[in-house]
Amino acid sequence: GENVEQHPSTLSVQEGDSAVIKCTYSDSASNYFPWYKQELGKRPQLIIDIRSNVGEKKDQRIAVTLNKTAKHFSLHITETQPEDSAVYFCAASGARGGSYIPTFGRGTSLIVHP
Amino acid sequence: DVKVTQSSRYLVKRTGEKVFLECVQDMDHENMFWYRQDPGLGLRLIYFSYDVKMKEKGDIPEGYSVSREKKERFSLILESASTNQTSMYLCASSLVGVLNTEAFFGQGTRLTVV
């Protein structure tokens, strides 16, 4: 099955700096790569996603890049703010059983210091 | 607005008890999932279902079973609760289609087995 590795496990930055979280996946058939943000005590929520036919996607201060050949994808957050502090999960979604199922990385705890 | 609702926010059960965790979604999603979230281990898939009465094992199904009698409801069952099943349990749902879509999560059930 799919295996997703995520690094780093913890990332501490100063407000205004950029943050980068990297993930690798093992199944070349995976075709959908969402990123979720989980604030303390809350449920994970989608912040951005990318499909396998696209190399990069941007939404304001966040961007995601995908390298299908190397099987890795990354989340970039620019001009970080304290409210960006949360746990971020990457996922790779591919066919499994009778449907498409996301496999998650272990998460990155991002801490933005004011 | 998609709603995924888990029946309990907090549960305390005794070792050996049979435990039911209930999840309901209101957006007519075909896929439903149960994940277990532990610090440093991310979101691990226990079971998923892509249709009524259909179920597939995830990555850590041992000690768990599931039931999906109606499309909107997916139940996780701990046949005989053990202390190593103390964890946060997250239910999620998503559409099935040619294109992968995001997963919507419930608020989580924190289960403590004593």
Side-chain angles (χ1 to χ4, degrees):
Chain A
E2 177 65 271
N3 182 49
V4 177
E5 300 282 342
Q6 181 173 349
H7 299 280
S9 57
T10 306
L11 181 57
S12 184
V13 300
Q14 289 295 129
E15 183 177 359
D17 287 350
S18 294
V20 180
I21 302 170
K22 298 183 178 183
C23 291
T24 60
Y25 62 100
S26 61
D27 187 355
S28 56
S30 288
N31 60 5
Y32 176 64
F33 306 91
W35 286 86
Y36 291 83
K37 176 183 180 182
Q38 186 179 28
E39 296 176 351
L40 191 63
K42 296 191 175 180
R43 69 192 76 192
Q45 290 192 295
L46 181 77
I47 54 170
I48 195 168
D49 56 13
I50 190 166
R51 302 190 186 278
S52 57
N53 59 347
V54 175
E56 184 175 355
K57 184 177 179 181
K58 266 186 166 180
D59 183 4
Q60 299 182 340
R61 295 187 297 108
I62 60 173
V64 58
T65 58
L66 171 65
N67 182 326
K68 281 181 60 180
T69 304
K71 288 191 273 194
H72 66 71
F73 55 114
S74 301
L75 177 71
H76 305 251
I77 306 174
T78 58
E79 299 172 27
T80 54
Q81 300 167 3
E83 51 265 39
D84 294 329
S85 296
V87 177
Y88 291 80
F89 294 98
C90 64
S93 190
R96 184 171 177 178
S99 190
Y100 290 92
I101 306 300
T103 299
F104 288 86
R106 294 191 173 199
T108 296
S109 178
L110 173 64
I111 304 164
V112 181
H113 299 280
Chain B
D1 199 23
V2 176
K3 276 193 179 166
V4 180
T5 304
Q6 295 181 227
S7 54
S8 304
R9 195 72 195 265
Y10 299 95
L11 272 180
V12 180
K13 296 292 181 181
R14 294 197 178 276
T15 301
E17 274 193 80
K18 191 169 186 176
V19 181
F20 293 86
L21 303 184
E22 308 284 346
C23 176
V24 176
Q25 50 95 4
D26 66 358
M27 283 302 291
D28 204 35
H29 285 173
E30 295 89 353
N31 279 338
M32 294 191 76
F33 314 90
W34 276 105
Y35 288 92
R36 173 175 169 158
Q37 182 174 17
D38 299 289
L41 297 179
L43 302 170
R44 294 182 292 166
L45 183 65
I46 304 171
Y47 268 95
F48 65 96
S49 168
Y50 54 88
D51 200 355
V52 176
K53 297 194 185 293
M54 302 300 291
K55 58 186 178 184
E56 296 269 356
K57 291 181 179 179
D59 301 315
I60 53 165
E62 296 78 18
Y64 304 94
S65 62
V66 290
S67 172
R68 191 153 180 212
E69 296 295 319
K70 292 185 178 182
K71 190 175 185 180
E72 68 270 19
R73 187 180 295 270
F74 192 35
S75 303
L76 180 69
I77 304 155
L78 286 66
E79 297 290 342
S80 178
S82 64
T83 54
N84 63 10
Q85 292 179 309
T86 291
S87 187
M88 171 68 82
Y89 291 87
L90 286 166
C91 174
S93 71
S94 71
L95 285 169
V96 167
V98 174
L99 296 178
N100 274 299
T101 60
E102 74 175 283
F104 292 87
F105 285 86
Q107 77 276 26
T109 296
R110 184 161 297 281
L111 173 66
T112 302
V113 183
V114 296

